[in-house]
Amino acid sequence: MKKLERAFGNKLAIAIFIAPALILFTFVIPLPILHSFYMSLFKWDMLSTMTYVGFENYKELFSDGIFLSSIWHTIEITVLSLIFQVTLGLFLALCIVNITKGRKYFQNAFFIPNILSSAVIGILWFFVYNYDFGLINSILKSVGLDSLQQEWLSQKYVILALSITTCWQWVGYHMILYIAAISGIPQDIIEAAIVDGAQGLKMVTKIIIPQIRPVLRVSIVLIITGSLKYFDMAWIMTEGGPDFASETIATYIYRTAFNKLQYGLGSAASTFLFAVSILITVLINKFAAKREEMY
Amino acid sequence: MKVFAKYIKLSPVAKAIIFAFLTFYSILTLFPLIWLVYNSVKTNNDFLANPFGLPQLSKLQLKNYYDAWVTMGIQRFTINSLIISSVSVIFSLIISSMAAYAIERMIWRSSQKVLNYFLSGIMVPIQIILIPLFINFKKLNLLDSRVGLLIPTVAFALPTSIFILTGFYKTIPRELEEAALIDGCSVYKIFYKIILPLTMPAFVTIAVFNFLGAWNDLLIPLVLIQTPEKMTLPVGLLNFRGMYGAELTKMFAAVVISAIPSIIIYFVLQDKLLKGMIAGAVKG
């Protein structure tokens, strides 16, 4: 088997196979992250020369009310997305695994929004929420509830409206994950629970949720990391407005760098976002690992 | 999948309630799309007069679709998107299968470290790298070019693709490669003649997954592409919302057109797509 080891341990072959991916990946993801941190220490608009300012950009960032409120909006969207998508997704999954007819139709109906591009979804929902000719207000009007008509993308409701659209887009995805997990619960566990008299809600809270905990964790991580980089819907539907009411960290980065040409400040915000993403991933993994040890 | 419903015996009333709820919620989910479709064949004035009502059959505006496709230029955006998505899928398949093969089937000490290095890319928010990418691409003259758009699109497809492929390569028996080796094949030939044909099922999953990812992506082309001639569908749509703001029903037609390819891909290849999504999430 010397020959085997020599053939599959061939250093040149390994290098040839791995090099394209390694080079491309390194130049597009890790190196720009470092570059971003480096640039966050400078003031630069691409026209004048770069000036080193130390941590001045970070000071400016955290004294900028719009940035601080963008952090708050990102948190709001994260919390609302978690509530909407996890509970609704779980509820839909529990409903679907309990029926035999029409399963395929319901799965497809709930999942379809997830395959559409955010441009399609954002423009569609921009029209759905419109005050004058939007779907929601015209339904309210046609059933005589004119008084409930709202400017749905107004300061008061915009975060809620965006979170509902995001739920529409993603709930089917999480539902699919939960259905796969519930279907994977070993039969004998369910049978034993039935023998022990577990019914309805008890079955859900005592058997199903603990059994699918790993998948629930994955879906929560995905929702949190997805909300941290929340950009598409906010940019397409409101451009972070009205009056920055739906500005998220991601739209702030985009606006600062590509509209205002403040590359240093934008890089500082990017570096902050990166640090937060890492922190949250580590925290969730630690916390979730501890919880799993307990069971 | 069927197992669960078999073991949990619900009363007919409970089943009826569940069924009614699911039906109601599915209508709620699909209605915005249905509303979009039937308004896309109205005249602008009819839509503004009665946004909720169905179109009159005598006044169907199929011309909206022609205008969206030809006059508004959805045609060009669709072609651009097709090119970028297809070419990036081809590159991501080649590059990620080579890397996954080296990581999973070749024998070297740091293979798992390199795998983890790639996998760490799954979590990186794309916004973080956009500013340096934009600046460096400007210096390299890659801004506003298809090649420039391809580079990050392929790179961001690598982590998940490599993850799925290494999982897949674990399951291939070593004997196949040994036999080929004895027959005098080199590793390159083994990869090309034996492994790649076996990889086809996994390739379909990754291809669908990456194609939709590239097709739907907004942020990378929004930052890197500037001239309308090179815009992809999402950016083009966004650009046109400003330009053709008053012709709402034509805009609806444009949105419907850009939704159709994703829906077709989904219905033709949904098993593969869902597989990729579940596999991608498990690592997540």
Side-chain angles (χ1 to χ4, degrees):
Chain A
M1 284 297 98
K2 263 264 149 45
K3 195 181 170 193
L4 184 87
E5 262 171 46
R6 203 175 330 126
F8 293 111
N10 180 342
K11 291 260 154 54
L12 178 67
I14 293 170
I16 289 174
F17 280 130
I18 204 96
L22 204 59
I23 293 168
L24 183 64
F25 179 79
T26 306
F27 275 91
V28 177
I29 302 174
L31 284 183
I33 292 176
L34 294 175
H35 190 177
S36 198
F37 173 68
Y38 173 77
M39 288 209 326
S40 74
L41 306 174
F42 292 83
K43 282 240 180 288
W44 195 37
D45 59 6
M46 221 183 243
L47 301 169
S48 53
T49 46
M50 278 173 92
T51 12
Y52 178 80
V53 292
F55 285 90
E56 208 52 47
N57 282 324
Y58 291 89
K59 265 190 215 153
E60 193 180 333
L61 197 60
F62 287 102
S63 55
D64 184 352
I66 295 171
F67 181 69
L68 296 176
S69 74
S70 82
I71 298 179
W72 175 242
H73 298 145
T74 307
I75 295 171
E76 281 181 304
I77 289 170
T78 311
V79 172
L80 287 175
S81 298
L82 279 174
I83 295 172
F84 291 164
Q85 291 173 43
V86 176
T87 50
L88 190 58
L90 191 57
F91 191 69
L92 291 174
L94 286 169
C95 286
I96 286 184
V97 294
N98 273 303
I99 58 164
T100 38
K101 261 183 224 154
R103 202 189 263 257
K104 197 103 210 171
Y105 162 74
F106 291 125
Q107 272 192 40
N108 285 336
F110 302 142
F111 188 73
I112 278 287
N114 193 248
I115 56 156
L116 301 174
S117 69
S118 42
V120 165
I121 295 173
I123 293 174
L124 167 61
W125 280 80
F126 176 77
F127 287 124
V128 168
Y129 287 133
N130 184 284
Y131 186 86
D132 299 311
F133 51 76
L135 177 60
I136 297 179
N137 280 356
S138 58
I139 288 180
L140 289 173
K141 202 171 168 187
S142 68
V143 294
L145 291 169
D146 299 42
S147 59
L148 292 178
Q149 292 188 23
Q150 294 291 343
E151 189 68 78
W152 296 104
L153 294 173
S154 64
Q155 281 199 315
K156 195 170 169 195
Y157 294 107
V158 68
I159 296 286
L160 182 68
L162 290 177
S163 303
I164 287 173
T165 306
T166 304
C167 175
W168 184 78
Q169 181 180 10
W170 284 100
V171 74
Y173 176 79
H174 296 281
M175 176 197 75
I176 295 278
L177 294 185
Y178 302 155
I179 291 176
I182 294 173
S183 308
I185 300 176
Q187 284 180 29
D188 46 344
I189 291 181
I190 307 262
E191 277 171 51
I194 293 171
V195 172
D196 289 346
Q199 285 284 333
L201 202 62
K202 221 177 187 176
M203 176 70 108
V204 173
T205 55
K206 301 272 179 201
I207 309 294
I208 296 178
I209 291 180
Q211 283 290 323
I212 65 167
R213 194 180 291 278
V215 168
L216 279 174
R217 187 182 92 204
V218 167
S219 114
I220 288 171
V221 173
L222 287 174
I223 292 171
I224 294 177
T225 50
S227 307
L228 270 183
K229 51 186 173 182
Y230 197 90
F231 175 82
D232 290 12
M233 287 310 140
W235 194 255
I236 298 165
M237 285 162 74
T238 61
E239 294 203 1
D243 199 17
F244 304 109
S246 59
E247 187 89 313
T248 63
I249 299 174
T251 60
Y252 182 90
I253 294 173
Y254 184 86
R255 185 193 312 285
T256 310
F258 301 111
N259 287 5
K260 293 197 197 153
L261 308 182
Q262 295 175 312
Y263 294 106
L265 191 61
S267 300
S270 302
T271 307
F272 170 77
L273 177 61
F274 181 61
V276 172
S277 321
I278 292 206
L279 186 73
I280 286 182
T281 315
V282 170
L283 277 181
I284 292 174
N285 285 335
K286 267 222 167 108
F287 176 72
K290 257 200 198 123
R291 285 291 290 267
E292 256 152 38
E293 275 165 27
M294 283 163 58
Y295 285 92
Chain B
M1 287 268 278
K2 281 240 160 68
V3 181
F4 198 86
K6 220 185 278 169
Y7 282 89
I8 305 286
K9 291 273 178 271
L10 286 179
S11 68
V13 180
K15 271 200 172 159
I17 294 172
I18 288 180
F19 204 81
F21 167 75
L22 286 174
T23 309
F24 169 74
Y25 192 73
S26 71
I27 294 169
L28 206 64
T29 303
L30 295 179
F31 196 72
L33 291 170
I34 297 167
W35 179 75
L36 175 79
V37 173
Y38 74 64
N39 277 312
S40 69
V41 289
K42 283 185 187 171
T43 63
N44 211 32
N45 288 338
D46 283 352
F47 168 66
L48 289 174
N50 185 5
F52 188 46
L54 289 170
Q56 289 165 282
L57 287 176
S58 57
K59 290 206 282 184
L60 282 193
Q61 289 293 306
L62 294 175
K63 195 174 167 295
N64 285 346
Y65 279 84
Y66 176 82
D67 287 345
W69 183 248
V70 179
T71 322
M72 286 168 73
I74 293 298
Q75 186 180 21
R76 195 192 310 130
F77 303 143
T78 307
I79 293 169
N80 289 345
S81 273
L82 265 178
I83 294 173
I84 293 297
S85 308
S86 319
V87 177
S88 73
V89 163
I90 294 167
F91 275 108
S92 67
L93 290 182
I94 298 171
I95 296 175
S96 62
S97 61
M98 284 165 61
Y101 182 75
I103 290 169
E104 195 52 46
R105 309 297 293 189
M106 306 282 286
I107 303 163
W108 46 301
R109 214 177 307 137
S110 323
S111 64
Q112 286 310 304
K113 275 187 199 138
V114 172
L115 178 62
N116 287 332
Y117 176 65
F118 281 123
L119 295 189
S120 67
I122 291 180
M123 284 310 203
V124 173
I126 205 158
Q127 286 85 3
I128 294 164
I129 58 116
L130 278 175
I131 300 173
L133 213 58
F134 176 81
I135 288 168
N136 291 328
F137 275 21
K138 188 160 187 155
K139 280 185 204 148
L140 295 167
N141 240 340
L142 283 170
L143 223 52
D144 208 22
S145 80
R146 291 213 172 95
V147 178
L149 186 50
L150 272 172
I151 292 171
T153 307
V154 174
F156 267 87
L158 289 180
T160 323
S161 311
I162 290 177
F163 171 70
I164 295 176
L165 282 170
T166 47
F168 185 81
Y169 285 156
K170 259 193 198 108
T171 63
I172 296 177
R174 199 48 136 178
E175 286 77 20
L176 279 173
E177 287 165 298
E178 286 173 13
L181 201 62
I182 290 162
D183 287 346
C185 282
S186 64
V187 246
Y188 308 106
K189 210 166 177 189
I190 291 174
F191 175 70
Y192 180 69
K193 290 261 180 187
I194 311 223
I195 301 295
L196 277 191
L198 289 173
T199 318
M200 284 309 154
F203 271 177
V204 180
T205 296
I206 303 170
V208 183
F209 193 67
N210 290 348
F211 186 91
L212 279 182
W215 182 270
N216 290 340
D217 186 35
L218 174 74
L219 197 48
I220 299 178
L222 187 65
V223 169
L224 298 184
I225 299 294
Q226 285 147 350
T227 50
E229 285 71 31
K230 290 173 191 157
M231 281 177 183
T232 57
L233 258 177
V235 188
L237 270 186
L238 207 57
N239 200 32
F240 270 137
R241 200 188 62 200
M243 284 170 70
Y244 293 82
E247 298 184 82
L248 296 170
T249 54
K250 279 179 192 164
M251 193 68 218
F252 279 36
V255 175
V256 172
I257 293 174
S258 40
I260 288 172
S262 320
I263 291 179
I264 294 176
I265 291 175
Y266 174 66
F267 278 106
V268 175
L269 295 159
Q270 53 174 297
D271 294 338
K272 300 283 183 188
L273 177 73
L274 293 179
K275 225 169 150 187
M277 289 194 153
I278 292 169
V282 171
K283 176 62 206 173

